[in-house]
Every structure is written in C-alpha cells, then in structure tokens.
Amino acid sequence: MISRYVDLDVRPILRAGGEPFAAIMEAIGRLAPDEGLRLFANFKPTPLFAVLGARGFGNEAIEMGGGDWQVLFYPTGEADAYAPVDSNSDWPAPVRNVDGRDLDPPEPMVNILAAIEAMPTGEVLAALLGREPVFLFPELAKRGHAWRGGFDADGTTYRLLIRIGGKDAKP
Amino acid sequence: MAGVSLSRWTMSYFAAALVALLAAETMMVLGFGFPSAPVEAPATLVLVHVVALGWLSLLLCGALFQFVPVLVARPLHDNHLPFATLCCLLAGLVLLLCGFLQLDGTLEGDWPLLPAAGSLLALGFVLVLYNLGRTLWAGRPLPLPARFFVAGLCGVAAAASLGLIFAFVLTGLATAPPLADLAASGLPLHIVAGVGGWLTLSAMGVSYRLLAMFILAPEDRRWTSIAALWGGIGVLLLAVGGGAGAVLLNADPTPVFVAAALLAVPVLAAYGHDVIRLYAKRKRRKLETNSLMAAPALISLALAAALLLALLALGQMPRFAGAVLYLLAFGWLSGLGLSQLYKIVAFVTWLECYGPLLGRAPTPRVQDLVVESRARKWFYLYFGAVWFGTVALLAEQALVFRGLALLLLLATAGLVVEFVRTRRLADVAIGPQGQDVPHRPRLLCALVAQP
C-alpha cells in the first residue's frame, strides 16, 4: 500500500528550458518503499514511463488541462532485472547543454559529438533537438556512450541525454 | 532509439538511375521515340519506360531505402535485400525494352520477353514493397510524409499489376475478356497509377520532410497537408479504380478521368499552399541549391496542372498529353529528383566518410563537398531546356525539341559530373592537417557496419 505521494513539480525547470530528469531520479531515489511520486509536468512524460517501469514503478497519468499533466508513480515491486544497467542507475545532472533546435542537419550532430569528446567519463550532456537524431545514435553506440531521449508531447522538441561512457572505442 | 545506418545500396540505385536518364535524353536527341515517333510506337514505349522505370523508379527506390528508415526512426528491415531487388528491376527493365523492340520486329525471335520482363519487374517491386512495408509497419504510428509513401507504394502495386496484365495479353498468354479489355483501354490507368500514384505522391511525401528539414521550417500537422494526402488517395482511387470499373463494364472512362483531374485541382492547391508556407515560414533565410532548385520543379507541377486543365477545356487533351507528361516527368519529378540528389549524395557521403571523425579531427562541412555556383548553372540550363522543350511539344516542333533535348542532356551530364565529384570528395580542400578520412567512399555502395 502507498502511504503517501511525494509531490514534484518540474514545470518551472521545463519552462526555463532545463532538463528535469536528474531531479526526478533524485526524488525517486529518496522515496521510502511505501511512498509514490506525484509528478507535475507540462507535457506527458512518456519516455519516463519506460525508465521508471524498469525500476519497478507503475504509473497513472492524468491530463490536467492547459497541456499540464499529473502522473502518479507507485512501486509495483516488479523491477525488471534484465533492464540495461543505464536505466537502473541515476544519472548525474547534465553539465553541458546543446540547443540544436534552430540548426539544420547535420549541425546538431556535429555540435553534440564535438562537445562530448571534451567531456570525461560519467558526465552527462543534455540536448534539445528538432528531430530524433537517428544518425547520431549509431555513432554514440560505437563510441561507447549511453543515451536516453524522447519527444515532448507536442512533438516539436526532442530531449536527449547522453552519458559519457568509459569504454570509448577510439579508432 | 536504435538509430539508422546508411543504406548500403542506395548509391547503386542512384547510379543506375542517372545512366538511364542520360540514355533517355540521348534517345530524345537522336529522335528515337516520341515526339519524332508516334505515341504508341514501340520506340516511344522504350523511351517512356527508360524514364519511368530506369530513371524515376530506381531513383525513388534508392531514396526510399535511405529515407523511410530516417522518417520512422527504425532501421531498414533488410539492408542486403535492395541489391537483389535492383538486379530484378534492372534485368526486368532490359527484357522489357527488348520485348518492346520485338513488337515492331526490330528484335527477331518469339521468346516471351514481355511476360518474363513483367514477372521480373513485379518480383522486384514486391521486394521493394516487402522491405519498405516491414520497415513502415514497425514504425507505426506513421508521420504524415510516410503516409504519402504508403499511398505511393499502393500506386506502384497498381501500375505494376496493370503492366503485367498488358504483357500477358499482348503476347497472347492471357485471353480472358476482362484482362483483354483492360489491356485495350487501360493505358491511362497504368500512367495515372505510375506517374500520379507512385511517383507524384511519393515525391510529395519526400518534399514535405526534406524541404522542411533543410530550410528549417516548422512541420506542424495542418489540415491542408491531411487534405492533400487523402485527396491524393481519392484522385488515385477515382482514376484507377473508377477507370478500371468503367473499362470492365464497357463504358467510356473519359468522364471518370475528367472528374479525377478536377478533384486533383484542390488537392494540388492544398499541397501548393503547404509548400509556399514552408518556404515563407523558414528560419533559414539564405537557401542552399537543393532547396532553391526544388522551386522550379514545384512550379513545373503547377504549370503541368494548369496545362492539363487548359487542354481539357479546349478538348485537346489526347493530342497534347505528351507535353503534359513531359513537363511532369522532366520538370516536376526529375527536377525535384535532381535537386534533392544534389543534397542527398553530399550528405550521405559526408556522413559515411566524416561521421566517425566528428569531434576528434577537423572535418569539412557538408557544403564543402559541393561547389554550388557550378551546379546552379547546370540547374538553370536544365529547367530552361525543359520549359522550352514543353513549348516545342505544344508547337509540335519535333526538331526544335531535339535541339532542346541536347541542352537537357548537357545539363544533366554536368550535374552527373558534380555528383561523381561529390562522391569522390574531389572538391574537398585538404587542410594543413591532411584531413584524411578513414576510408575513401566507394562510388556505388556505402561501407557501413551492419547491425
């Protein structure tokens, strides 16, 4: 049974153009076993469902009007043992941001790859993009980096997080 | 979020397509086929199919094998199959051309070339449908441009089926009355399904995404875009489905075609409205050659629609159908194809060669692989030759048309040289650091790690 829900409103972070993922994971990490999280966001945070689902959280999303959403995350006790390590671990807050929304392809990819080459293992970069960067993913995989991403509910901004991997396979 | 790798065989499709385009233009210069020969002459059939299958269909297939995965953010279902597909399509095309030459006795022998050709081409298109269909299926729900591709693929299925029926009836292998009726009066259906359904609907889908992507225009889903999609499907269903129904009932299909042409007007208006809006709302003020040269292609589509309506109103349509088809095939479809090839070849080559080096070594920009000022001159010559060529067809001046076809051939050859130079990295300045690439690109296929 859930004894109580901890509230977290990430709308101010999103409105400021920030990346709320770290704050959410931090709040999830502080929950007691019988607690849930009540998240407020200005879009339906679909990518989060899979990430938290793998950590054993079910969800119930309710549209509040005006584009705002309230999502209840509650422990189901069924954490997926086969989920990739990356989705079970908390990522640190991003130390670098790249805004590629007003750049034509392939400039966002060029900027992101240039930025992550200068970052040490374990750090996280956040990027805002106009499209899903389908050609970037194979390059990230080859270089041993991990990533998470998804579109906002209105489908115009793709939020991408990249964590620098340790097994960087330089040619 | 698996990402998309480069399509291995797309460059082979592009190369085969460009060879076919140069061959078709050479035929026009030499007076082989329409307008020097009658519309129904086997030489004209050869010319038309070199353009529609050899050039436009191979170009579109090669582009879709790369573009559909990008659109639905899923890998291509099978990245090896396109090579076998290309072999089927090319072998089918060669047999088809030989089969046409057999019809007027240029080639002797009584082998069933046309049915063999039809079967190989049908097999090739089935492989295209299977590979792209599986990729699209995995990528549901589909974005709007991908829905145009689904409609286009239905168009190619209809066009290929009708072609197969023609081949079997013409060689006496099929004698059932409904098939014979379709073969006797179904040519407009075959043309509408191929040029209108397969080529035009797919080209509209490509333009919605590629234009928006490269001129930084918002891709909001508007009712006009949805109207263009469903209206386009409606035109196709009416012309091909309704036309086939009329033929099978031994009725005159002309009213159905006129109704489809009238329905096409608001559809093209909705599409034109969207395209103009994309250009007007773009964030990138200075246009690159690919986006700039898409404009005369789009204008050609509008001109062809206006010409079609004018000819219908004047009762001159069958007589000047060749001029409308020429403007559609060379102004709209080929013009758009060449302008987008100019960017796609550079982009794909850049990604293949420099993707692994990004962030680790100095790399050129995509723009550094091309010389825009040189290519633009060829594009101006190309569109000038197409438009004046259409006027020559309307004036029924076959000799003037051949002279303009020579200019067209020259412009196309100039652009092909540019594409090869891009692929060869011939125009990339070698910087002080050497800017060496891990491997030089192959002209005809991409070296990609297969998942």
Side-chain angles (χ1 to χ4, degrees), chain A residues 131-149:
Chain A
R131 297 191 167 69
E132 185 165 350
V134 290
F135 288 122
L136 175 66
F137 295 147
E139 204 51 52
L140 292 177
K142 249 191 285 179
R143 298 180 187 204
H145 306 311
W147 70 91
R148 297 163 174 165

Side-chain angles (χ1 to χ4, degrees), chain B residues 35 57 112 189 214 304 342:
Chain B
S57 293
L189 308 178
F214 286 121
Y342 180 74

Side-chain angles (χ1 to χ4, degrees), chain B residues 161-253:
Chain B
S161 306
L162 284 164
L164 199 59
I165 291 172
F166 298 170
F168 276 82
V169 171
L170 272 177
T171 44
L173 289 175
T175 51
L179 298 184
D181 288 346
L182 275 178
S185 340
L187 186 62
L189 308 178
H190 182 61
I191 296 173
V192 171
V195 176
W198 162 230
L199 297 169
T200 290
L201 284 179
S202 305
M204 284 162 79
V206 169
S207 62
Y208 268 115
R209 175 53 66 90
L210 273 194
L211 276 180
M213 199 156 88
F214 286 121
I215 64 180
L216 290 174
E219 270 184 88
D220 37 355
R221 238 179 119 98
R222 297 178 59 79
W223 71 267
T224 40
S225 317
I226 296 161
L229 171 68
W230 288 103
I233 293 171
V235 171
L236 196 66
L237 278 178
L238 182 59
V240 180
V247 168
L248 292 175
L249 294 170
N250 290 318
D252 179 14

Side-chain angles (χ1 to χ4, degrees), chain B residues 348-367:
Chain B
V348 166
T349 302
W350 175 88
L351 194 61
E352 182 187 341
C353 297
Y354 298 107
L357 293 181
L358 290 176
R360 296 176 165 172
T363 49
R365 300 166 307 156
V366 179
Q367 302 92 298

